[in-house]
Amino acid sequence: MNVTELSGVPDWLPDHLRDEGVEELYPPQAEAVEAGATEGESLVASVPTASGKTLIAELAMTASVARGGTALYIVPLRALAGEKRTEFEAFEQYGLTVGVSTGNYDSDGEWLATCDIIVATSEKVDSLVRNGAPWIDDLSCVVADEVHLVDDGNRGPTLEVTLAKLRQRNPGLQVVALSATIGNPEILAEWLDAELVDSTWRPIDLKKGVHYGQAVHLEDGNQRELQVRDGEKATEAIVRDTLNDGGSTLVFVNSRRNAEAAARRLAGTVENELTNEERTQLASVAAEIRDVSDTETSEDLASAVERGGAFHHAGLASEHRELVEGAFRDRLLKVVSATPTLAAGVNTPSRRVVVRDWRRYSGEAGGMAPLSVLEVHQMCGRAGRPGLDPYGEALLLAKSHDELDELFDRYIWTDPEAVRSKLAAEPALRTHLLATVASGFASSREGLLEFLDQTLYATQTTEGGRLERVTDDMLDYLEVNDFLERDGDDLTATSLGHTVSRLYLDPMSAAEIVDGLQTAEDRPSALGLFHLVSRTPDMYELYLRSGDREEYTMLANERETELLGMKPSEFEARWEDWLSALKTARLLEDWASELDESEITDRYSVGPGDLRGKVDTAEWLLSAAERLAGELGLEWAPAVREARTRVANGIRTELIDLAGVRGVGRKRARRLYEAGIETRTDLRNADKAVVLGALRGRRKTAENVLDNVGRTDPSMADVEADGSVAVVGE
Ligand code: ADP
């Protein structure tokens, strides 16, 4: 189908698409249009990675807006919201407005009411619904990207419940669900009353295979020699081989830390092959990376980029991610090692893909667990650049003959799994039942069960009565903890219940926090508060390693008076969790005591991204704790706020004032403080030479900082740095 044949879309769209190089629709796109995508029909598109799902969404959304409606695009990861916004911003020249809603989970995002297209994560949409965002009722089209993630135990239920709520609110709502190829797309279509486009078409051929020994074994039965030199790893050999052939390689690994380590090593493989021109351009990308921030991660990334490699994961700053994606698409970077985030949403085709790790650590499994076929196929799908490569090649790596056979059986010759709803798990239901009542979607047990009947779980289950049983258990829990009141069949959320729902907390986290704060006799210490929030199910715990049990039992005894709530005995089942929470709490305390990032990552064997994840979660939970303290009239709100500010900035108490200035992080605040500038007022009145010295002579930085603190004459034009302070803090 040619783009000029499209009906129902705005007049400008065909020309716009042609300007973007799209003349003919890809077959799955044409099928979607035939199924009514541009006429408000609901649709499930189960199509391979990189086969143009975004355009299906764009056709539906722009057609919906042309009919006077509003479209919502639900992204699976916060990290992808910015990327989608940038894509849709191309429509702004035709008068559409595009808004992205990230940020805190407790506002109603009123300003979004003026947007034609809104981009948000499912958690964010869920929270906007809970906070009563009025524009939710005006939606005419909702796109769920990567809808197969309803299968994810942690996040799937939120997507599932959110779609059910949006459909309940807006009876004629068009739902466009985009999915990777899965085993049972029909069930999704049945659930959403949607047409199904189920296709295996790809714009470029994909050959999958396994590297073993000195050869690549392809799925079509062919073998090709690929020599691994002495002392070299298979991945290095493949990257070298691809580069000799003029292509670049995307390597998927199982953790952020491994992505960083692989980038360091693989950059060594490609650096000698770079041209001078490439070196110069890469150096300028590296300089831009360093300009974004002066963290260790930034430095690590920049030094890999200078040598032609990079890593990519969701822990990177979005500016960093964009620079890496851009340089990879421009073929400047020869190798990128990535966690699966890149496979899911970012459009970065590559001649070759290597799935280096096919197992990853899983808390649930208590050890290494194999990736799903679906995930591996999504990674493989990034291989091959349409128009540039004859075909894409995706390789897994085997270390033995048995593993070669296993990988073929497990991933190459096997279709992706069926997706299954995870809604009936207790933590998910506990949270969503409270929210469903608090935000007015149900006001009785009967009503709740009717609502739950609209979910994928209900469409899919064969286990009659299970949902009802778990629902009753969870209602009991919510009532006992004062989040809900029951009067016969009627349900109402208490004021505490409303707050918890709006704060986006798991009710069990809220109950733990409330109990800890209520039983505190003295002003809680930062460690005590860090431990309290680390105990909640909303914080991903650190695991105890050998030797940790003794170490943290000692710490628990030493600092017993600081720890809030009842301490379990060593014989109770929850003792283990209590100790791991203490380990997390001490990590947070180290961070808030200005220990170096690298010392922390070494001490706790975590990656910088993990540290950042913990810090962000602690900050969010402590701000929720502050609100709960306020709600319950407890006197500890200021102590909670102080702990939150410290952990958010990674600083001791005395730096709180300074670190509030934009552009002043923990390190700069400390250097300023050591140079005698202790407060914002000091900074406003300080000798510029001292400021410049403390900021290591960086004029631009110093000017920005002074500007941000409100100094009228921030110019550093003729200032000489005060050498006596330049080395402080180094
Ligand atoms: P998916 O979301 O399925 O992974 P994308 O939507 O990111 O895939 O599409 C992959 C690439 O294909 C994008 O660069 C997009 O611009 C391009 N593309 C999509 N549809 C067409 C088309 N009909 N003709 C040419 N290029 C297309």
Side-chain angles (χ1 to χ4, degrees):
M1 183 186 283
N2 192 280
V3 293
T4 49
E5 298 166 49
L6 284 167
S7 65
V9 297
D11 298 341
W12 49 262
L13 192 69
D15 285 339
H16 171 76
L17 289 177
R18 277 210 300 263
D19 291 347
E20 303 271 297
V22 177
E23 289 274 351
E24 287 290 326
L25 292 187
Y26 286 161
Q29 295 165 343
E31 264 186 68
V33 170
E34 276 150 25
T38 56
E39 280 147 21
E41 278 298 329
S42 287
L43 191 77
V44 170
S46 169
V47 191
T49 311
S51 304
K53 286 194 283 292
T54 311
L55 183 57
I56 298 181
E58 289 177 347
L59 293 172
M61 292 195 299
T62 52
S64 184
V65 171
R67 290 193 301 274
T70 304
L72 171 66
Y73 190 102
I74 302 180
V75 283
L77 280 174
R78 220 158 157 168
L80 299 176
E83 148 123 352
K84 286 295 163 196
R85 186 208 17 216
T86 314
E87 282 182 58
F88 303 150
E89 267 169 2
F91 304 143
E92 292 196 330
Q93 54 183 311
Y94 309 106
L96 268 67
T97 47
V98 178
V100 59
S101 172
T102 48
N104 292 337
Y105 287 143
D106 55 1
S107 71
D108 68 4
E110 207 177 321
W111 66 278
L112 293 167
T114 57
C115 297
D116 297 309
I117 296 179
I118 298 162
V119 181
T121 58
S122 47
E123 285 76 16
K124 184 67 200 182
V125 179
D126 184 16
S127 104
L128 288 165
V129 173
R130 295 183 191 195
N131 285 282
W135 53 266
I136 291 285
D137 292 333
D138 303 331
L139 292 178
S140 52
C141 173
V142 56
V143 178
D145 196 358
E146 309 276 331
V147 73
H148 52 268
L149 293 174
V150 287
D151 191 274
D152 181 293
N154 286 321
R155 308 189 46 217
T158 305
L159 177 59
E160 189 179 338
V161 168
T162 301
L163 285 176
K165 283 183 179 168
L166 294 177
R167 294 179 70 216
Q168 177 170 330
R169 277 284 183 81
N170 305 278
L173 183 69
Q174 176 184 25
V175 180
V176 177
L178 308 176
S179 170
T181 29
I182 53 172
N184 57 346
E186 321 72 34
I187 194 86
L188 294 181
E190 186 188 332
W191 167 42
L192 297 168
D193 297 318
E195 297 288 322
L196 175 62
V197 173
D198 183 12
S199 169
T200 53
W201 183 89
R202 284 179 43 98
I204 176 164
D205 262 357
L206 173 63
K207 292 188 185 178
K208 297 203 269 295
V210 179
H211 180 270
Y212 169 60
Q214 304 291 349
V216 165
H217 304 249
L218 290 166
E219 58 187 322
D220 55 15
N222 286 325
Q223 278 186 30
R224 187 163 22 83
E225 190 177 345
L226 201 160
Q227 287 285 345
V228 182
R229 294 177 186 157
D230 275 351
E232 197 180 45
K233 299 204 173 188
T235 319
E236 290 163 0
I238 297 170
V239 167
R240 193 167 40 74
D241 181 75
T242 321
L243 191 57
N244 287 342
D245 203 27
S248 50
T249 312
L250 190 53
V251 181
F252 286 107
V253 298
N254 58 6
S255 71
R256 296 172 181 185
R257 201 182 166 80
N258 282 339
E260 292 170 12
R264 267 193 296 277
R265 215 185 33 254
L266 294 171
T269 307
V270 299
E271 75 176 310
N272 293 330
E273 311 294 326
L274 299 171
T275 64
N276 285 339
E277 167 69 24
E278 285 171 336
R279 262 181 243 278
T280 315
Q281 292 186 30
L282 285 165
S284 89
V285 178
E288 285 183 70
I289 287 170
R290 290 192 175 97
D291 275 350
V292 173
S293 63
D294 69 347
T295 59
E296 260 168 75
T297 312
S298 176
E299 183 49 44
D300 271 3
L301 183 60
S303 63
V305 166
E306 279 165 346
R307 301 188 295 137
F311 51 90
H312 185 291
H313 55 59
L316 285 182
S318 58
E319 295 94 326
H320 282 157
R321 276 201 317 269
E322 278 159 30
L323 287 164
V324 170
E325 289 156 22
F328 193 59
R329 276 196 286 261
D330 294 344
R331 303 157 79 180
L332 276 176
L333 286 173
K334 307 302 176 195
V335 57
V336 170
S337 54
T339 56
T341 335
L342 197 65
V346 187
N347 181 26
T348 43
S350 165
R351 167 79 58 86
R352 259 204 186 128
V353 163
V354 175
V355 181
R356 194 197 72 178
D357 302 335
W358 61 275
R359 294 191 190 91
R360 78 164 146 237
Y361 192 81
S362 145
E364 255 166 71
M368 301 303 274
L371 299 181
S372 68
V373 181
L374 198 153
E375 282 174 292
V376 170
H377 284 193
Q378 276 196 295
M379 294 175 197
C380 294
R382 290 289 162 211
R385 298 159 304 171
L388 287 174
D389 297 328
Y391 58 87
E393 194 176 271
L395 300 177
L396 288 120
L397 307 181
K399 291 188 199 65
S400 65
H401 208 280
D402 285 348
E403 197 180 5
L404 173 67
D405 291 342
E406 179 177 2
L407 290 177
F408 262 93
D409 284 344
R410 192 184 270 279
Y411 295 115
I412 311 275
W413 286 325
T414 306
D415 289 332
E417 297 82 359
V419 303
R420 284 210 71 82
S421 166
K422 299 293 184 323
L423 185 62
E426 289 191 2
L429 259 195
R430 180 165 74 211
T431 306
H432 289 296
L433 292 185
L434 176 60
T436 302
V437 174
S439 48
F441 282 88
S443 55
S444 64
R445 177 178 175 279
E446 201 68 16
L448 258 186
L449 293 173
E450 260 168 46
F451 171 76
L452 291 173
D453 210 34
Q454 308 302 310
T455 58
L456 173 64
Y457 183 87
T459 312
Q460 207 166 27
T461 188
T462 47
E463 220 187 317
R466 172 161 153 78
L467 196 58
E468 195 168 336
R469 270 198 314 280
V470 191
T471 299
D472 283 332
D473 288 350
M474 291 303 104
L475 287 179
D476 288 344
Y477 173 86
L478 293 170
E479 194 182 6
V480 167
N481 284 285
D482 233 5
F483 299 123
L484 278 187
E485 275 168 8
R486 251 200 284 200
D487 181 9
D489 197 38
D490 288 347
L491 298 170
T492 30
T494 60
S495 157
L496 182 63
H498 275 286
T499 306
V500 169
S501 166
R502 278 200 292 267
L503 286 172
Y504 213 73
L505 283 180
D506 180 334
M508 197 179 253
S509 299
E512 183 87 37
I513 291 173
V514 167
D515 179 66
L517 291 177
Q518 268 172 340
T519 51
E521 286 167 14
D522 298 314
R523 189 180 202 268
S525 72
L527 181 81
L529 291 165
F530 295 155
H531 184 237
L532 180 63
V533 297
S534 300
R535 270 168 17 209
T536 68
D538 278 310
M539 175 73 85
Y540 230 114
E541 277 169 8
L542 288 176
Y543 293 97
L544 293 179
R545 290 167 199 268
S546 66
D548 280 356
R549 204 161 280 98
E550 295 71 38
E551 184 178 348
Y552 290 98
T553 305
M554 257 164 63
L555 188 70
N557 292 335
E558 269 166 38
R559 304 190 60 179
E560 189 166 357
T561 52
E562 292 180 57
L563 304 178
L564 303 170
M566 283 280 285
K567 181 176 157 196
S569 93
E570 294 181 30
F571 307 104
E572 275 180 70
R574 64 194 183 98
W575 174 244
E576 188 91 353
D577 281 342
W578 178 274
L579 276 193
S580 0
L582 186 58
K583 183 174 176 184
T584 310
R586 209 190 49 175
L587 169 145
L588 295 168
E589 186 184 50
D590 281 348
W591 169 249
S593 305
E594 298 171 43
L595 225 67
D596 264 350
E597 193 176 316
S598 59
E599 258 179 84
I600 300 182
T601 50
D602 279 355
R603 179 181 285 186
Y604 298 92
S605 312
V606 295
D610 304 314
L611 171 61
R612 194 168 332 186
K614 295 264 177 305
V615 165
D616 288 350
T617 309
E619 184 188 354
W620 162 57
L621 288 170
L622 286 165
S623 66
E626 191 186 337
R627 289 271 286 274
L628 291 172
E631 164 96 22
L632 297 167
L634 301 172
E635 61 190 306
W636 310 128
V640 180
R641 187 175 327 128
E642 184 180 307
R644 172 174 61 78
T645 315
R646 284 188 54 200
V647 80
N649 297 290
I651 50 169
R652 293 172 188 268
T653 312
E654 68 265 23
L655 296 187
I656 287 181
D657 190 40
L658 271 184
V661 180
R662 201 148 41 88
V664 180
R666 65 200 304 242
K667 293 201 174 145
R668 287 177 183 161
R670 179 53 64 191
R671 284 199 292 266
L672 288 166
Y673 195 90
E674 298 292 334
I677 301 168
E678 299 184 358
T679 62
R680 291 181 203 212
T681 317
D682 290 352
L683 185 55
R684 241 173 258 127
N685 302 319
D687 183 342
K688 285 184 182 175
V690 177
V691 176
L692 188 58
L695 297 177
R696 295 154 147 186
R698 296 197 182 177
R699 276 168 213 282
K700 194 80 206 123
T701 307
E703 287 175 356
N704 281 337
V705 163
L706 289 187
D707 193 30
N708 293 340
V709 79
R711 192 142 161 172
T712 43
D713 57 336
S715 167
M716 286 278 165
D718 305 316
V719 182
E720 278 289 314
D722 178 346
S724 68
V725 293
V727 289
V728 170
E730 291 289 335

